[in-house]
Amino acid sequence: MIQFSEEATRRFQTILSHYPEKRAALLPVLTLAQREFGWISQEVSEYLSELMGYPPSDILSVATFYTMLHKKPVGKYHMEICRNVSCWLMGTYPCVDEIKRQLKVDVGEITADGKFSWNLTECLGSCGTAPAMQVGDRYFETLTPAKIIEIIEKLANE
Amino acid sequence: MNKILLVNIEKPDQKNIAKYRERGGYTALEKALAMQPADIINEVKTSGLRGRGGAGFPTGMKWGFVPTNAGKPTYLLCNADESEPGTFKDRILMERDPHLLIEGMAIACFALNCQLSYIYLRGEYEFIAHIMQRALDEAYEAGILGPSIMGKDFALDLHLHLGQGAYICGEETSLIESLEGYRGYPRIKPPFPATHGFLASPTVVNNVETLCALPWIITNGAAAHAAIGTEKSKGTKLFSVSGHVNSPGVYEVDMGYPLLDFINNEAGGIPNGRALKAVIPGGSSVPVLTAAECDGVLLDYESLLKAGSMLGSGGMIVLDDSTKMPEVLSVIADFYAHESCGQCTPCREGTGWAAKILRNLVAGKGKRADIDLLLKIADMMEGKTICPLADADVMPIRSFVTKFRSEFEALCAS
Amino acid sequence: MPKFTLNGVELEAKEGQTIIQAAMAAGFEIPHYCYHPDLPIDGNCRMCLVEVEKMPKLPPSCTTVVTEGMVVRSNTDRVRQSVQGVLEFLLINHPVDCPVCDQAGECRLQDYYMVYGLHTSEIPLEMKVRKRKVIDLGPMVVLDQERCVLCSRCIRFFDNVTHTGEMQFFGRGDHVAIGTFEDRPLDNPYSGNVVDICPVGALTSRDFRFKCRVWFLHSTDSVCGGCSTGCNMRIDHRDGTIFRLLPRRNVEVNRSWLCDEGRLTHHEVAAGDRILRPMMRGRDGMQAPVTWKEAVASVNSRLKEIAGINGGDAIIGFASPSATNEALFLFKRYLGEQVGATQFEFRIDSEDKKVTEEEDEILRHVDKHPNSMGAINLGLMSQELGGIDRAIESARAGRIKAGVVIYYKPLVERPGDAQAEARIAELIGALEYSVVLAAHKADWQREASVLLPVTAWSEESGTYTNYQGRVQLASKAVEPGGDILALWEVFASLLYESGDGLLWLSPDDVFASLAENTPAFRGIVLEQTRLPGALPTP
């Protein structure tokens, strides 16, 4: 049975202490769980159910509402490229084509080495530096197909 | 042009609390802590400050709805869920002047007698969370936050709370619902958050930009703020401009500044010698204006409303004459379909259906009747839902289809 | 008590009532899906929007509290258009499964479409959102996600009534689907209720699946025979077969709910062989069929004979707490007044204590008999005997020589049932002369001197008294077969045979007499035993 590491448990306790009611901690705890376990699997739902005291259906129901919580495994670098207005105007889809050319996987798939997956996402708040994409806690902006190649290479060698 | 919010935005070390204070930071809070909370609320009312998230509701009035004798704690929540397409102004504020937000929030908390406050930050801004958290840590260390802020007998805890990807959580009741640990379903109003918000307690939800304006108002006084702008739209406004412009970015202008001047001066005009075709002035949820309709329009709540659009979040998207309007609308419609929470019938089904029809149209598989069907769907959704997300889909659909109908018709075979 | 008008009609609401509640209480229909009187308000379907003067938008009538002088209109063009719009939205992604969907005939999409819709669909088939169908959610429920209108009634039921939260929404936008975690089956003694409250065919009954179209069914008001709660039910039947049991809403007893066991009690009634004709032991010691005339005459004369020789103390009337009040009243009247019997009992396992003992916090009681209270109130307990054990002792010791024993097998099984039935068998074995009245066959019945076939639950009309002391009418739904008589009829016949002057033609007559003569029923008129049932006047 999976469980939080010592560090994650400490973080869990800190999160709980921020809220007057336990339930309010659920979303940050789900985020923590995703960081620990990679995605919100059914096993993770059951673990959190035990930990927080809510039915596993409830936990998973909350998780499926939020797009950043993954319900399937993703690559180590999950590239989310904005498909909204300004990015679209400034050239999202040529970059998407380049991503597909480089990674050779489609949305929902992971590269064989487990490093990359990608998806389209909504406005990232980078409209002035469009097109933009998010990879984990990093933004990559003013993208071009050439930059996409650079970024993928850089990440692959990290 | 006045600067209230972006005064120190270019200074690279502005995030550092020592530098922030050197430049006058936290003196407004000190001054506020020596005032009566009721007087602070009055100052904000007199300043004419209106909510900068998109609704434009008078901030002081919103604060005034909070009962002081509820017997329950009051919560001040900062809406940092900035997700309106075209909008990136709150990002700049938090990324480059995080202490300005903290100071603004502390002033608001003191005025509202709130001792536990949260910044609901969209999850995608995780890189900003690091910056914000460091600023919060600095503030705690310096005694700006904690058991007795700035030595005063007032405790304030301020925590960062990250969303995980849901545009709807920018709607205040959805934000509260999400903060409580549930799916971000907007709530039926009444009751209103002022009396029954977070954990059934009095709650005020304010946008980042709104809160960041408070230190200046306290320092310089309500009258000074009210002297800027127009009769009903006071102060300055941040506009994030993007699309077909030479200088996309975030700019602060006095309320009432002419729209076309903004595009040609601050935003640098339209590149590649092209002409202006259309402007979405305040984020994808507001009606689009044709180039002709922009004539004489001022950047304030009233003028934009009169022109048939809205100030909204101030997320301006400029479109030149190479733009295919049906495709832009399809991108927008996909957004609302994806972000609809699914709680109530008209939005859940209508946004999805409209998006599919538009995808068909753009792919050349649509019929003439589909265009009227889009307008019918808009009518069926409008005003019937729990929250305004459906209306936010209706505005673009109706304005794009009526103002650029010939482009839609050209896509249809028959 | 705010006064308001609805479509020009002046109405009065209770304090705090919403428009829809006040309208429905006055008999006005406002179309709705998500509102349910026994669930928290959600306001998500948007079907119940109405016009309220001074409100610019159309507010939902389920969330808007009535205020004094409110002017409400639900029949304007604006409202009609809104309702039609919501209906059209609900139907665009709805699979038109009507030909294979159990809900047909009692489906709110169908019903409202005929009144408010009648529009032509404008969405091509390929554009419809597809979801999963025929998901097995356990022994009671089948889920079809595609048919769901996302009203959240089922979610609110599991969250707020059983507090177990099995069903939730998953996903967002028009791909939201209801379901359980990992499609796990519902392991919940109240799961069947979500089938009732689902306004469409998303949640259907596995038990009833494909068995009968609802428009062929006849409905009869009844009361559950499973335990002392006395949940109000509706028996849906056709040509003598019961197809399903549904709740009737009684805010004083069961609100809108039934437990799963109670819901399936008609299967218990139908299971096993029935005793089809009166049987009497002849001189050769074997039971042989006789006519009712013969049986009644023989029983009457035999009992009076034994009473004459040994006294009334030698005869016991052992009743069943599953029999109706009417039957028990005539039973006591016959044996007590005509035969002179003095020993009456009904308790096998402390039913008088269990009758008010809760089995859970929602509906069920520990006593799995519908009428222990009635038996108590009709004076069928013996201080001396205290229950069946001493009755058996007395019989073995020869103090009690004869007995008239009513036995019904419980409709809801519990451990201990077999032992209880075994005690009855022991009692019969210990009596010199025994008259057994039962519905279902059992081996021990061969020991009886006389075996009389009587109706089971749903086959005779009568009242039951629940744990609250509430008297509730259960009406006859199906005809018994064979040569079976209603229990009350048997004693009416015996009374007639024995010369008691009165002639009872129906259980209604019996009730009137019962109410006159029994303190616990004082002041109750039969009409009052329909919803919500009658408590005696103090």
Side-chain angles (χ1 to χ4, degrees):
Chain A
M1 175 78 161
I2 50 165
Q3 50 177 5
F4 277 150
S5 64
E6 245 184 73
E7 208 214 302
T9 306
R10 269 195 296 275
R11 181 82 199 114
F12 170 70
Q13 296 299 340
T14 309
I15 292 172
L16 283 181
S17 72
H18 286 177
Y19 302 94
E21 279 186 26
K22 181 178 58 158
R23 180 82 199 205
L26 183 55
L27 192 56
V29 170
L30 275 163
T31 310
L32 176 66
Q34 177 157 283
R35 198 170 306 146
E36 274 283 280
F37 306 117
W39 59 295
I40 310 299
S41 63
Q42 277 156 354
E43 225 193 324
V44 171
S45 300
E46 279 170 310
Y47 172 59
L48 293 180
S49 167
E50 284 287 306
L51 201 61
M52 301 280 292
Y54 304 113
S57 54
D58 195 353
I59 307 270
L60 192 59
S61 169
V62 172
T64 58
F65 184 81
Y66 299 95
T67 49
M68 285 179 71
L69 292 173
H70 304 301
K71 273 64 74 184
K72 286 193 333 194
V74 293
K76 180 169 177 210
Y77 302 106
H78 184 60
M79 301 166 62
E80 296 177 281
I81 185 161
C82 170
R83 64 156 185 185
N84 218 300
V85 187
S86 296
C87 286
W88 176 84
L89 282 170
M90 305 314 287
T92 297
Y93 283 96
C95 296
V96 168
D97 290 339
E98 192 58 56
I99 291 176
K100 285 202 263 202
R101 233 193 317 272
Q102 293 300 315
L103 300 180
K104 301 188 192 21
V105 291
D106 215 335
V107 170
E109 298 170 347
I110 310 177
T111 52
D113 59 4
K115 282 204 176 144
F116 293 98
S117 55
W118 69 278
N119 203 348
L120 294 168
T121 194
E122 305 293 353
C123 180
L124 291 170
S126 293
C127 323
T129 42
M133 77 174 169
Q134 173 179 21
V135 186
D137 64 352
R138 283 182 281 190
Y139 268 26
F140 295 95
E141 302 169 272
T142 53
L143 296 170
T144 59
K147 267 199 180 174
I148 293 284
I149 301 173
E150 262 177 53
I151 294 167
I152 292 178
E153 221 182 279
K154 175 167 154 320
L155 291 174
N157 294 325
E158 261 181 16
Chain B
M1 205 72 84
N2 287 280
K3 279 242 180 311
I4 291 176
L5 299 156
L6 299 185
V7 182
N8 294 309
I9 214 78
E10 298 300 327
K11 306 197 170 71
D13 50 6
Q14 180 66 4
K15 300 194 276 278
N16 178 296
I17 193 174
K19 287 295 175 190
Y20 181 74
R21 296 185 96 155
E22 233 175 78
R23 297 177 188 129
Y26 288 120
T27 52
L29 176 59
E30 197 165 6
K31 184 174 176 194
L33 290 172
M35 291 166 74
Q36 289 301 313
D39 292 336
I40 301 176
I41 297 178
N42 268 325
E43 275 293 280
V44 175
K45 277 186 182 160
T46 319
S47 74
L49 178 66
R50 290 165 70 165
R52 298 293 195 234
F57 194 86
T59 308
M61 196 187 287
K62 194 188 232 185
W63 287 11
F65 291 147
V66 173
T68 46
N69 58 350
K72 288 189 260 196
T74 303
Y75 293 99
L76 185 274
L77 305 176
C78 170
N79 188 342
D81 192 53
E82 180 171 70
S83 311
E84 179 77 20
T87 318
F88 47 101
K89 57 177 181 80
D90 297 336
R91 171 195 170 165
I92 302 297
L93 286 170
M94 292 186 284
E95 223 182 334
R96 311 220 198 132
D97 204 350
H99 284 285
L100 184 60
L101 175 60
I102 295 174
E103 187 172 8
M105 286 183 77
I107 293 169
C109 286
F110 181 67
L112 294 165
N113 195 24
C114 160
Q115 314 209 264
L116 178 57
S117 177
Y118 299 91
I119 299 171
Y120 187 102
L121 181 67
R122 67 176 299 193
E124 292 85 346
Y125 281 176
E126 205 179 327
F127 66 100
I128 298 177
H130 300 316
I131 297 170
M132 208 64 226
Q133 189 59 57
R134 214 167 301 128
L136 286 167
D137 294 342
E138 284 184 328
Y140 269 99
E141 257 173 58
I144 306 283
L145 298 170
S148 77
I149 66 174
M150 296 193 99
K152 181 112 178 157
D153 182 21
F154 185 82
L156 175 55
D157 269 317
L158 181 43
H159 298 298
L160 208 48
H161 177 102
L162 261 63
Q164 282 294 288
Y167 162 75
I168 187 60
C169 290
E171 193 275 336
E172 65 174 1
T173 60
S174 166
L175 188 152
I176 293 170
E177 189 76 1
S178 176
L179 183 63
E180 286 191 16
Y182 299 103
R183 294 163 63 89
Y185 278 6
R187 295 177 177 175
I188 305 270
K189 296 193 273 208
F192 292 86
T195 52
H196 289 81
F198 182 58
L199 304 178
S201 303
T203 306
V204 170
V205 180
N206 279 143
N207 175 259
V208 169
E209 191 185 341
T210 315
L211 293 163
C212 285
L214 295 174
W216 192 99
I217 293 175
I218 296 296
T219 302
N220 298 283
H225 188 264
I228 305 169
T230 68
E231 192 201 328
K232 299 213 186 113
S233 302
K234 301 292 182 197
T236 61
K237 178 81 186 75
L238 295 183
F239 285 91
S240 21
V241 58
S242 64
H244 296 140
V245 288
N246 279 310
S247 313
V250 179
Y251 301 98
E252 182 173 13
V253 296
D254 288 2
M255 284 284 203
Y257 188 61
L259 165 58
L260 287 172
D261 285 358
F262 180 81
I263 293 176
N264 292 320
N265 299 338
E266 276 74 8
I270 312 225
N272 306 321
R274 302 210 80 112
L276 179 67
K277 180 172 185 178
V279 181
I280 302 173
S284 61
S285 307
V286 309
V288 70
L289 292 172
T290 63
E293 286 174 324
C294 293
D295 245 337
V297 174
L298 307 175
L299 291 173
D300 68 29
Y301 294 105
E302 288 64 44
S303 179
L304 278 161
L305 197 63
K306 191 154 153 241
S309 185
M310 283 152 63
L311 186 75
S313 64
M316 188 184 300
I317 305 176
V318 176
L319 305 168
D320 73 18
D321 55 7
S322 73
T323 311
K324 300 199 174 74
M325 299 307 277
E327 290 187 31
V328 176
L329 182 61
S330 181
V331 169
I332 292 175
D334 277 346
F335 170 70
Y336 290 105
H338 185 222
E339 296 296 339
S340 168
C341 74
Q343 187 183 191
C344 68
T345 310
C347 175
R348 176 183 69 236
E349 310 294 345
T351 54
W353 194 11
K356 286 181 188 171
I357 293 172
L358 278 160
R359 255 176 264 149
N360 256 11
L361 269 166
V362 164
K365 300 197 208 130
K367 322 183 289 289
R368 277 264 159 106
D370 288 341
I371 301 171
D372 287 311
L373 182 56
L374 279 171
L375 293 174
K376 179 180 155 191
I377 293 171
D379 287 343
M380 279 159 64
M381 286 199 285
E382 195 179 20
K384 314 259 177 25
T385 49
I386 296 175
C387 88
L389 191 143
D391 302 321
D393 195 23
V394 167
M395 298 296 127
I397 291 175
R398 203 180 274 147
S399 59
F400 272 70
V401 170
T402 40
K403 295 179 187 183
F404 298 96
R405 192 172 179 123
S406 55
E407 284 187 55
F408 289 87
E409 287 177 349
L411 287 170
C412 302
S414 51
Chain C
M1 303 280 278
K3 288 200 174 66
F4 72 110
T5 62
L6 174 59
N7 300 337
V9 178
E10 237 194 64
L11 298 172
E12 199 170 340
K14 293 205 183 89
E15 202 63 49
Q17 265 189 333
T18 56
I19 296 174
I20 202 173
Q21 287 170 329
M24 282 170 66
F28 287 84
E29 160 90 45
I30 294 184
H32 60 280
Y33 290 99
C34 68
Y35 169 72
H36 189 283
D38 291 319
L39 294 172
I41 292 170
D42 216 48
N44 66 58
C45 73
R46 314 312 280 183
M47 194 67 175
C48 73
L49 302 191
V50 289
E51 250 184 67
V52 175
E53 219 171 70
K54 293 189 209 130
M55 290 195 192
K57 294 208 266 190
L58 300 173
S61 54
C62 68
T63 60
T64 312
V65 175
V66 177
T67 53
E68 183 69 37
M70 202 179 239
V71 179
V72 182
R73 273 180 261 275
S74 69
N75 57 0
T76 61
D77 279 339
R78 195 172 160 212
V79 173
R80 261 195 283 269
Q81 257 172 38
S82 171
V83 171
Q84 192 185 51
V86 172
L87 203 49
E88 189 165 355
F89 276 139
L90 286 174
L91 286 167
I92 56 165
N93 291 316
H94 188 78
V96 189
D97 281 351
C98 305
V100 296
C101 175
D102 278 329
Q103 198 80 13
E106 52 186 24
C107 169
R108 283 196 201 211
L109 281 171
Q110 285 184 338
D111 294 345
Y112 290 151
Y113 178 81
M114 294 312 292
V115 179
Y116 304 104
L118 294 172
H119 58 275
T120 314
S121 170
E122 293 194 78
I123 192 167
L125 204 58
E126 323 81 69
M127 232 191 230
K128 286 167 99 84
V129 174
R130 308 305 307 272
K131 294 178 188 169
R132 291 161 59 218
K133 305 176 80 69
V134 197
I135 300 168
D136 180 357
L137 286 188
M140 300 295 288
V141 181
V142 180
L143 166 63
D144 186 311
Q145 291 179 336
E146 228 178 27
R147 297 176 186 169
C148 172
V149 293
L150 300 152
C151 69
S152 78
R153 279 179 167 196
C154 56
I155 297 175
R156 281 176 281 144
F157 177 79
F158 286 123
D159 277 348
N160 294 285
V161 178
T162 61
H163 304 288
T164 45
E166 292 95 324
M167 294 198 77
Q168 297 291 340
F169 283 134
F170 296 95
R172 196 171 75 193
D174 65 3
H175 284 85
V176 171
I178 49 144
T180 58
F181 185 69
E182 290 181 316
D183 284 354
R184 281 189 192 157
L186 294 164
D187 180 17
N188 182 316
Y190 293 91
S191 62
N193 289 298
V194 294
V195 172
D196 297 335
I197 59 181
C198 179
V200 298
L203 292 169
T204 51
S205 161
R206 175 169 298 287
D207 184 56
F208 181 60
R209 190 173 171 76
F210 298 155
K211 290 212 175 119
C212 187
R213 278 310 195 181
V214 302
W215 49 85
F216 291 132
L217 297 171
H218 297 277
S219 297
T220 303
D221 289 349
S222 186
V223 174
C224 181
C227 79
S228 60
T229 306
C231 295
N232 288 198
M233 275 186 162
R234 192 183 94 194
I235 302 178
D236 279 0
H237 54 95
R238 180 191 188 190
D239 295 338
T241 306
I242 297 176
F243 281 92
R244 62 178 183 178
L245 301 173
L246 297 179
R248 282 185 299 138
R249 182 166 189 255
N250 185 331
V251 291
E252 308 294 339
V253 181
N254 58 311
R255 285 153 292 142
S256 300
W257 320 127
L258 290 179
C259 73
D260 291 351
E261 289 177 308
R263 207 181 271 278
L264 297 174
T265 49
H266 60 296
H267 290 305
E268 269 310 297
V269 173
D273 293 329
R274 296 295 292 270
I275 308 160
L276 292 171
R277 64 195 90 259
M279 308 284 277
M280 209 153 75
R281 201 184 301 149
R283 259 181 266 272
D284 60 351
M286 303 292 285
Q287 282 179 347
V290 291
T291 64
W292 274 104
K293 196 159 177 221
E294 289 171 306
V296 166
S298 173
V299 166
N300 188 49
S301 72
R302 201 67 180 88
L303 285 174
K304 287 196 171 160
E305 201 190 323
I306 296 170
I309 297 169
N310 304 97
D313 289 352
I315 304 193
I316 183 170
F318 199 90
S320 165
S322 294
T324 61
N325 289 317
E326 289 79 350
L328 292 176
F329 172 71
L330 294 181
F331 166 84
K332 180 133 194 254
R333 188 183 174 103
Y334 171 69
L335 286 173
E337 289 174 28
Q338 295 303 316
V339 173
T342 57
Q343 314 276 25
F344 289 98
E345 250 308 332
F346 76 92
R347 295 168 288 180
I348 301 178
D349 190 10
S350 311
E351 284 80 358
D352 57 326
K353 297 205 175 58
K354 286 189 197 160
V355 66
T356 47
E357 207 183 309
E358 281 178 7
E359 198 176 41
D360 62 37
E361 282 162 10
I362 302 169
L363 279 184
R364 298 179 297 177
H365 282 84
V366 174
D367 176 21
K368 298 302 173 194
H369 301 97
N371 205 24
S372 297
M373 260 321 185
I376 294 168
N377 291 341
L378 286 163
L380 294 168
M381 282 198 301
S382 161
Q383 195 124 326
E384 224 189 283
L385 290 175
I388 200 172
D389 292 341
R390 249 184 255 141
I392 296 172
E393 238 178 76
S394 285
R396 286 211 180 106
R399 290 194 293 277
I400 298 180
K401 294 208 185 291
V404 176
V405 178
I406 309 170
Y407 180 76
Y408 285 108
K409 65 168 184 178
L411 297 179
V412 171
E413 276 178 33
R414 283 292 179 272
D417 286 352
Q419 288 94 297
E421 201 172 345
R423 309 302 276 132
I424 292 284
E426 271 182 66
L427 178 61
I428 302 303
L431 291 166
E432 278 180 31
Y433 179 74
S434 59
V435 180
V436 172
L437 300 106
H440 293 88
K441 269 195 195 161
D443 288 340
W444 55 266
Q445 290 160 355
R446 283 195 219 119
E447 301 298 307
S449 317
V450 183
L451 178 63
L452 301 175
V454 290
T455 46
W457 177 83
S458 79
E459 294 167 356
E460 78 175 88
S461 288
T463 57
Y464 298 115
T465 308
N466 80 346
Y467 74 102
Q468 299 164 334
R470 185 180 300 271
V471 183
Q472 305 187 112
L473 177 65
S475 298
K476 172 176 170 172
V478 294
E479 282 297 336
D483 205 1
I484 299 169
L485 275 189
L487 186 63
W488 73 270
E489 265 189 280
V490 178
F491 292 105
S493 303
L494 283 163
L495 279 162
Y496 187 71
E497 175 76 13
S498 72
D500 171 301
L502 298 174
L503 188 67
W504 280 279
L505 295 172
S506 75
D508 297 14
D509 291 342
V510 182
F511 188 83
S513 210
L514 187 167
E516 241 181 77
N517 290 291
T518 321
F521 293 78
R522 183 165 304 138
I524 301 178
V525 167
L526 188 69
E527 270 315 297
Q528 296 168 319
T529 63
R530 300 182 197 276
L531 265 178
L535 291 165
T537 42

